[in-house]
């Protein structure tokens, strides 16, 4: 359980630092930069997410994401599991339209391609003006309000533009048979208490996955809540 306290501490810290880092997670800034031929900090951060997920899956979502910290706070208000199924694919449609837009903007850019990691920031700080806080709180509400209304981590499930990078990275790792961080389960040790289901911040039916012996799930953020809360230690991290 110490790991979960540490995880939440990091997530909340990432949330508190969001006024500084928000532009490094901005999908809009990438498009704006692309029209000017600039590879922005957010472009580089998303590329790093893709590469790291080949080895770490969606660990970033579970431990480092500012939006994850916002949603973990929203769970104090509403911790019910949202409906999933086909709705989880909404984020891929949003992501695809966004990626196509970036490609078009780079093709018709105004100048030669350059790299500026601190593009549109003030000495690396995203929100440096009082007026920028209008944008900041708008994004905060965009993430927080749906979770309060519809359930835990709903933004991750339906709308997140970052998650597809890590899902694709995980798929690439599997395709190339690269060892990465995963969950494993011993169904013989499982007593079907369903504690894992109740503690999963993504609302995944973990108990069912334990029984079928297949723990991989596109929505799993490898937070380890099921690992740390299982009374029989039937679930564990592994690198495979």
């Amino acid at each position: 359980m110490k790991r979960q306290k540490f995880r939440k501490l990091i997530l909340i810290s990432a949330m508190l630092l969001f006024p500084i880092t928000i532009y490094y997670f901005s999908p809009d800034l990438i498009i704006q930069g692309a029209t000017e031929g600039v590879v922005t900090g957010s472009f580089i951060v998303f590329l790093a997410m893709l590469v790291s997920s080949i080895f770490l899956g969606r660990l970033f979502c579970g431990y480092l994401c500012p939006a994850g910290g916002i949603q973990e706070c929203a769970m104090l208000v509403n911790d019910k599991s949202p409906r999933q199924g086909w709705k989880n694919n909404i984020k891929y449609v949003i992501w695809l339209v966004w990626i196509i837009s970036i490609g078009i903007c780079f093709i018709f850019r105004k100048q030669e391609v350059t790299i500026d990691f601190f593009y549109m920031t003030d000495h690396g700080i995203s929100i440096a003006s009082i007026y920028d806080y209008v944008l900041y709180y708008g994004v905060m509400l965009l993430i927080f309000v749906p979770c309060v209304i519809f359930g835990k981590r709903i933004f991750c499930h339906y709308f997140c533009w970052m998650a597809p990078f890590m899902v694709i990275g995980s798929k690439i790792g599997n395709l190339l048979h690269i060892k990465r961080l995963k969950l494993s389960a011993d169904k013989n040790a499982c007593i079907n208490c369903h504690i894992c289901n109740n503690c999963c911040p993504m609302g995944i039916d973990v108990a069912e996955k334990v029984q079928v012996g297949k723990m991989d799930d596109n929505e799993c953020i490898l937070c380890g809540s099921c690992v740390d809360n299982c009374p029989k230690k039937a679930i564990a991290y592994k690198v495979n």
Side-chain angles (χ1 to χ4, degrees):
M1 296 306 296
K2 289 182 179 179
R3 175 165 48 203
Q4 291 308 307
K5 291 179 180 179
F6 181 66
R7 180 182 74 85
K8 291 177 181 179
L9 175 62
I10 296 175
L11 282 176
I12 292 172
S13 298
M15 179 188 70
L16 294 175
L17 290 171
F18 204 28
I20 297 174
T21 62
I22 186 172
Y23 282 0
Y24 303 105
F25 301 104
S26 171
D28 179 65
L29 215 63
I30 292 182
I31 292 178
Q32 186 176 336
T35 61
E36 301 174 13
V38 179
V39 176
T40 66
S42 49
F43 187 106
I44 296 171
V45 168
F46 292 149
L47 182 61
M49 287 182 184
L50 175 65
V51 175
S52 65
S53 62
I54 295 175
F55 309 96
L56 299 173
R58 289 184 63 178
L59 191 72
F60 173 86
C61 303
Y63 282 84
L64 294 171
C65 182
I70 297 168
Q71 293 177 93
E72 295 270 341
C73 291
M75 287 183 203
L76 298 173
V77 181
N78 184 355
D79 65 349
K80 72 176 182 180
S81 298
R83 293 183 180 180
Q84 297 189 46
W86 67 269
K87 293 181 180 179
N88 286 339
N89 295 322
I90 296 173
K91 61 179 175 287
Y92 298 108
V93 176
I94 295 172
W95 181 83
L96 184 60
V97 172
W98 172 53
I99 290 295
I100 292 173
S101 300
I102 294 170
I104 292 173
C105 289
F106 266 116
I107 291 172
F108 296 100
R109 65 187 182 274
K110 298 177 182 178
Q111 56 196 40
E112 291 301 311
V113 175
T114 59
I115 299 175
D116 184 358
F117 188 81
F118 301 112
Y119 177 77
M120 293 295 290
T121 68
D122 185 353
H123 298 87
I125 297 174
S126 300
I127 307 299
S129 162
I130 187 92
Y131 302 105
D132 291 334
Y133 275 92
V134 175
L135 170 65
Y136 168 69
Y137 283 113
V139 173
M140 289 282 286
L141 290 173
L142 179 66
I143 298 170
F144 185 79
V145 172
C147 296
V148 169
I149 297 173
F150 298 108
K152 54 189 180 182
R153 290 260 183 173
I154 195 75
F155 184 82
C156 289
H157 285 295
Y158 296 173
F159 309 119
C160 183
W161 54 84
M162 296 178 278
F165 285 106
M166 287 169 278
V167 173
I168 292 171
S170 299
K171 298 294 185 183
I172 292 173
N174 290 340
L175 186 64
L176 298 177
H177 302 289
I178 296 174
K179 290 184 177 181
R180 70 173 174 88
L181 185 66
K182 298 180 180 179
L183 295 179
S184 65
D186 179 5
K187 67 178 181 180
N188 295 321
C190 177
I191 57 174
N192 280 315
C193 63
H194 286 215
I195 290 176
C196 52
N197 286 6
N198 296 331
C199 69
C200 177
M202 295 298 286
I204 298 170
D205 190 346
V206 183
E208 181 183 9
K209 292 189 168 296
V210 171
Q211 291 304 311
V212 299
K214 185 177 180 181
M215 298 300 292
D216 266 0
D217 191 292
N218 290 339
E219 300 302 309
C220 177
I221 57 175
L222 294 172
C223 67
S225 291
C226 57
V227 176
D228 296 327
N229 283 279
C230 179
K232 297 297 182 181
K233 304 301 180 186
I235 308 171
Y237 280 118
K238 72 171 182 178
V239 176
N240 185 14

